[in-house]
Amino acid sequence: MSAARTLSMRDALYEAPGPKTRHRVRIGTAVSAVVVLLAIAAVIRQFWVTGQLAPRYWSLFLQWTTWRFLGQGLLGTVAVALTAGAIALVLGLTLMLGRTSGVRPLAALCRVVTDFFRGVPSLLLIYFFFFVPAQLGLKMPSFWMLALPVALAASGVLAEVFRAGVNAVPKGQVEAALSIGLSRAQTMRRVVLPQAVRYVIPSLIAQLVVVVKDTTVAYVVSFPDLMQNARVLITSYDALVSMYLVIAVIYILINYAINKASVYVAHRTGVKIIR
Amino acid sequence: MGISELLGTYGNKYLQGLLATWSMTAVSFVFVMALAVLVTVARVSPYRPLRVAGDLYVQVFRNIPGVALLIIIAYALPDLGLVLDWRTCVIATTILLGSAFGSENFMSGINTIGVGQIEAARSIGLSFTQIIRRIVVPQALRTTVLPMTNLLIAVMLTTALGSQVPLSPQELTGVVSYVNTRATGGILAFLISALCYVGTAFVISLVGNRIDKRVRILR
Amino acid sequence: MTDLSVAEKDAGTAPVIELRHVDKHFGDLHVLRDVCLSVGRGEVVVVIGPSGSGKSTMCRTINRLETIDSGEILIEGQPLPQEGRELTRMRAELGMVFQQFNLFAHMSILDNVTLGPREVLGQSKEEAEKYAMELLERVGVAEQAHKVPAQLSGGQQQRAAIARSLAMRPKAMLFDEPTSALDPEMINEVLDVMVELARGGMTMIVVTHEMGFARRVADRVVFMADGQIVEEGSPDDFFDHPRSQRARDFLDSIGGH
């Protein structure tokens, strides 16, 4: 059409209002604004009534040492998340390659492993690495007690993401590659994978959110991440509510930024995000 | 510890754990769906404050780590004058997280409908409510069967957060940590719980796929 | 008050569709400039023009899928309502056929056709289905009645969409580039249905690029460019003796004469 205006679906549900509708929308907007503000006010009031707005709960955030300690925790979170993410990337790709290899037993095995890691809570895997190596007499650093299970949990999902990417590569590409004499493996490596990876980059970035979330149970294995350091500060400052809220906001902002980055990359490369 | 010894001593615990996981999942999912509908209605309403509040709700609960939310509900809310029992804390956490993703599923279900069908419905004289009832809702529901199936599995996995508070009876993950603090359960102790999860997820996705095949909209 | 009584008196003789000095902007873009058009009962008006000329937009303003900035749109002498019951009732009386068919994806063809009569006109299921099958028979997709839209070819979908509009027993039909999204071999099956409708005395506004159709069926051809009606006249006059340079350029560019 001539005038290309992009309407989001939620706007498209409504047509351009007439005078009566416009009046009704205006009233509804005012009423809902009041309701939302009242809800916010009620929350703030509850903080006030219970004394949670007292300076002693918030003054620690004015101290440099608080932020330095939280910053150290954040570095721990980032290190674990990136390590787990990198391992999951390799594992996920391997699982996908195995599953699509065409070698029956290998494909079946990879499928079972993929479904297993997708169907099990990451917490269960974390407890596994917390208890079992120790029971077998292995001493494992807490970093790996966290990074490995988080990586395993993510690898199942990533295998599926990669598979979706491979499926998104047009069949004609494979046929063309085979027709010029490339082997199956060569076709996968030289033609399919490079395109598939391009398709899934935004989804891979988005999966980092899941990894970051999974690392927050670091306290189970006593690894000093953001959450664990926050717990330490809570015991020394006795500022539980304020600290947990601040930590939650930090996590939300980090994950929001990761999601935004994923959408941005998808937009830039014109790729749809596969979930 | 062998399987017979493990099941002999803790079999009952595992069974209770499985039932606890199932029941928390079921209860949570009912509320997840209800809340997801409400949030979605707010997000597509013509009232800007509701839209903003709905969008914010989704961004917050999509991005907050489950443990962080559980800890806030279980340990921070009492300081703010709201005390919930442990089970309710876990379920509330699961509902808040799940409903944000549920609303996202509904939104993308609505997005697949396309402006054209809405205009066509308008052009034959359907009113706004008729369009919502006969065109938007049926299509949004039918296209979200698979995403919602995956969400149900995710909700089940989220109930493992129950292992972080003193639940009674414990759910599947809590049982494993209980067993291992008392005995050398080894890989087997984990495998029992893991298989319960994987088996349940398998059944859920089997049923979900079957429903999806029946109601899927050809495009 | 006086307006209303005049309007009521005019209902029999007034044009079915009338646009008076209609203006519309999309942001900075002036998409309709002082458009005046009057379509009498049983008249077939074909609107042609280069893409971006505003012809689709004009077509869509008539049942208020697009709003206008100023001017008036009258249906049988009554101003086009802006909202509510009055608007939906008016829309029910104007059929519209879209470029992309826009059939409801989750319903069978039959349900697509009966939805309006049942929801808007309050017909019973039997009544609505009986007439729907007649219409589907007429447009030649009766055998597909129980399939869903995605199982039909584009041409079949568009014919079903026409049946969906006809089921409302409209006073007039608006066609917004009904064949532009079709494969060439399917265009004629849709045009044939439209020719049939025109012969049956339906009042029609057709936005199209099908010059053959315009020449054969139109009572009047309206040529638009840059949001304006540049000229209008009988098809023979227009195609053989275009008066404006714009029209001559347009006809040359599409190689039609």
Side-chain angles (χ1 to χ4, degrees):
Chain A
M1 253 298 304
S2 47
R5 295 163 309 154
T6 41
L7 253 185
S8 82
M9 229 1 246
R10 64 170 154 178
D11 290 320
L13 292 178
Y14 303 94
E15 48 186 315
K20 276 187 219 151
T21 316
R22 215 171 297 141
H23 185 65
R24 269 200 300 267
V25 168
R26 219 172 285 145
I27 292 176
T29 303
V31 170
S32 59
V34 170
V35 170
V36 170
L37 289 177
L38 279 179
I40 295 171
V43 171
I44 295 176
R45 185 182 168 275
Q46 197 61 23
F47 271 79
W48 176 257
V49 170
T50 51
Q52 286 298 329
L53 290 182
R56 70 183 183 94
Y57 291 125
W58 299 91
S59 58
L60 71 154
F61 294 109
L62 295 174
Q63 291 170 30
W64 162 240
T65 46
T66 304
W67 290 106
R68 198 180 55 193
F69 192 56
L70 289 179
Q72 284 165 0
L74 186 58
L75 284 181
T77 296
V78 170
V80 172
L82 289 183
T83 308
I87 297 171
L89 218 52
V90 176
L91 264 177
L93 190 60
T94 312
L95 283 172
M96 183 278 286
L97 288 175
R99 187 166 173 182
T100 55
S101 64
V103 183
R104 273 290 180 78
L106 181 64
L109 177 72
C110 287
R111 188 181 169 168
V112 168
V113 173
T114 303
D115 286 349
F116 182 86
F117 287 133
R118 280 192 340 142
V120 167
S122 56
L123 257 172
L124 189 70
L125 297 174
I126 289 167
Y127 276 121
F128 180 88
F129 279 88
F130 180 59
F131 285 117
V132 174
Q135 287 170 4
L136 299 176
L138 286 171
K139 252 194 141 18
M140 199 180 225
S142 63
F143 180 88
W144 294 106
M145 280 201 261
L146 185 60
L148 286 179
V150 170
L152 289 180
S155 68
V157 182
L158 290 192
E160 289 297 277
V161 169
F162 279 122
R163 201 160 64 95
V166 167
N167 287 338
V169 176
K171 285 268 170 298
Q173 298 280 320
V174 180
E175 285 159 14
L178 293 174
S179 77
I180 60 168
L182 294 188
S183 70
R184 257 186 87 101
Q186 283 171 322
T187 303
M188 186 53 123
R189 193 159 43 93
R190 306 296 297 267
V191 178
V192 177
L193 267 188
Q195 298 186 58
V197 167
R198 229 177 62 85
Y199 289 139
V200 299
I201 284 177
S203 311
L204 297 180
I205 298 173
Q207 280 304 318
L208 196 54
V209 170
V210 180
V211 172
V212 169
K213 286 181 184 170
D214 282 351
T215 62
T216 44
V217 284
Y219 62 81
V220 170
V221 296
S222 323
F223 175 77
D225 76 332
L226 180 58
M227 178 65 90
Q228 169 67 6
N229 280 11
R231 291 162 71 102
V232 171
L233 286 177
I234 285 170
T235 45
S236 46
Y237 285 96
D238 188 31
L240 185 142
V241 175
S242 55
M243 181 54 84
Y244 276 140
L245 284 182
V246 168
I247 292 304
V249 169
I250 294 174
Y251 275 117
I252 290 169
L253 290 179
I254 291 172
N255 289 335
Y256 180 79
I258 296 173
N259 273 323
K260 270 272 169 273
S262 153
V263 172
Y264 175 76
V265 172
H267 200 76
R268 273 283 299 271
T269 53
V271 168
K272 214 169 154 265
I273 298 181
I274 308 165
R275 288 195 191 279
Chain B
M1 230 175 168
I3 179 106
S4 54
E5 198 187 342
L6 200 60
L7 282 181
T9 323
Y10 299 110
N12 217 19
K13 271 261 171 211
Y14 277 108
L15 186 63
Q16 281 179 352
L18 180 62
L19 292 178
T21 293
W22 279 354
S23 75
M24 285 198 295
T25 303
V27 172
S28 297
F29 196 64
V30 170
F31 285 97
V32 161
M33 283 294 119
L35 203 53
V37 168
L38 274 182
V39 172
T40 308
V41 168
R43 293 175 78 194
V44 301
S45 80
Y47 313 121
R48 241 188 100 73
L50 288 188
R51 281 189 180 196
V52 172
D55 287 349
L56 191 69
Y57 177 96
V58 168
Q59 287 308 334
V60 166
F61 293 114
R62 243 182 75 164
N63 288 319
I64 193 171
V67 189
L69 183 58
L70 176 67
I71 287 177
I72 286 177
I73 290 177
Y75 299 106
L77 283 191
D79 284 357
L80 290 165
L82 183 61
V83 186
L84 304 169
D85 66 70
W86 298 118
R87 193 179 132 93
T88 310
C89 287
V90 177
I91 291 177
T93 305
T94 314
I95 292 170
L96 290 172
L97 298 174
S99 56
F101 288 95
S103 174
E104 287 291 76
N105 290 347
F106 280 135
M107 288 300 269
S108 55
I110 292 172
N111 278 330
T112 54
I113 298 171
V115 182
Q117 288 188 52
I118 307 294
E119 290 187 339
R122 252 174 226 159
S123 78
I124 57 171
L126 293 187
S127 68
F128 176 74
T129 32
Q130 284 170 325
I131 293 173
I132 296 295
R133 216 181 58 228
R134 301 303 306 268
I135 310 295
V136 178
V137 170
Q139 292 202 44
L141 287 181
R142 287 168 62 173
T143 48
T144 46
V145 170
L146 273 193
M148 290 306 182
T149 304
N150 291 332
L151 180 60
L152 176 54
I153 294 174
V155 164
M156 172 182 73
L157 299 185
T158 309
T159 61
L161 285 175
S163 60
Q164 303 307 300
V165 291
L167 269 189
S168 169
Q170 283 168 314
E171 47 62 62
L172 282 171
T173 300
V175 169
V176 176
S177 105
Y178 172 89
V179 170
N180 271 285
T181 46
R182 271 156 195 79
T184 309
I187 297 175
L188 215 51
F190 286 88
L191 218 50
I192 296 170
S193 278
L195 289 181
C196 289
Y197 281 117
V198 173
T200 310
F202 179 75
V203 172
I204 291 172
S205 71
L206 205 70
V207 173
N209 276 309
R210 196 159 289 176
I211 296 174
D212 177 64
K213 265 208 191 98
R214 280 251 293 278
V215 304
R216 165 172 282 170
I217 299 169
L218 288 175
R219 290 191 194 273
Chain C
M1 276 292 109
T2 47
D3 268 3
L4 201 76
S5 55
V6 170
E8 271 169 9
K9 211 168 61 195
D10 280 356
T13 54
V16 180
I17 295 167
E18 190 178 0
L19 281 76
R20 291 183 186 161
H21 307 291
V22 168
D23 264 273
K24 179 177 178 67
H25 296 78
F26 281 139
D28 289 337
L29 210 62
H30 202 164
V31 282
L32 294 178
R33 299 168 193 252
D34 196 32
V35 171
C36 296
L37 180 72
S38 174
V39 182
R41 190 166 307 282
E43 209 182 351
V44 177
V45 172
V46 172
V47 184
I48 62 176
S51 62
S53 60
K55 51 193 195 307
S56 270
T57 306
M58 181 191 73
C59 186
R60 289 161 54 84
T61 59
I62 296 168
N63 63 0
R64 207 183 177 273
L65 289 182
E66 302 280 359
T67 53
I68 58 175
D69 299 342
S70 62
E72 265 187 301
I73 296 173
L74 304 170
I75 312 295
E76 290 191 324
Q78 312 258 20
L80 179 67
Q82 294 207 48
E83 59 196 328
R85 278 263 173 96
E86 298 77 20
L87 176 61
T88 54
R89 198 172 305 142
M90 191 67 84
R91 279 175 174 162
E93 295 176 349
L94 295 171
M96 176 134 190
V97 176
F98 299 84
Q99 183 176 346
Q100 301 293 343
F101 336 132
N102 295 345
L103 289 169
F104 307 128
H106 62 306
M107 293 180 175
S108 71
I109 297 301
L110 185 60
D111 289 343
N112 262 276
V113 180
T114 58
L115 180 69
R118 294 181 62 190
E119 288 281 325
V120 181
L121 305 178
Q123 290 180 9
S124 72
K125 188 170 150 77
E126 295 71 35
E127 190 186 0
E129 288 191 348
K130 186 162 169 284
Y131 188 47
M133 285 311 296
E134 265 173 48
L135 289 171
L136 290 174
E137 199 80 53
R138 233 168 89 191
V139 301
V141 288
E143 283 177 14
Q144 274 71 34
H146 296 286
K147 293 184 181 166
V148 292
Q151 294 170 304
L152 271 60
S153 73
Q156 289 173 326
Q157 288 194 50
Q158 193 59 300
R159 285 183 281 151
I162 293 173
R164 176 175 66 181
S165 290
L166 290 176
M168 303 299 291
R169 302 178 202 263
K171 290 176 179 157
M173 290 278 286
L174 310 169
F175 291 86
D176 183 7
E177 304 202 18
T179 56
S180 299
L182 294 174
D183 292 335
E185 74 271 20
M186 292 173 183
I187 291 176
N188 278 327
E189 61 191 56
V190 171
L191 291 180
D192 287 347
V193 169
M194 292 166 60
V195 171
E196 206 57 41
L197 264 180
R199 296 228 170 98
M202 177 62 78
T203 308
M204 293 164 58
I205 293 181
V206 183
V207 175
T208 187
H209 295 290
E210 294 297 324
M211 298 305 146
F213 174 84
R215 206 183 248 278
R216 203 149 46 106
V217 184
D219 295 313
R220 187 150 44 106
V221 172
V222 169
F223 174 71
M224 285 184 78
D226 292 330
Q228 278 174 308
I229 294 184
V230 178
E231 67 174 274
E232 52 185 310
S234 75
D236 289 344
D237 266 359
F238 175 77
F239 287 113
D240 298 337
H241 313 289
R243 279 163 309 192
S244 63
Q245 189 59 44
R246 305 289 306 263
R248 278 194 291 273
D249 290 347
F250 175 71
L251 290 174
D252 283 346
S253 74
I254 57 170
H257 45 250

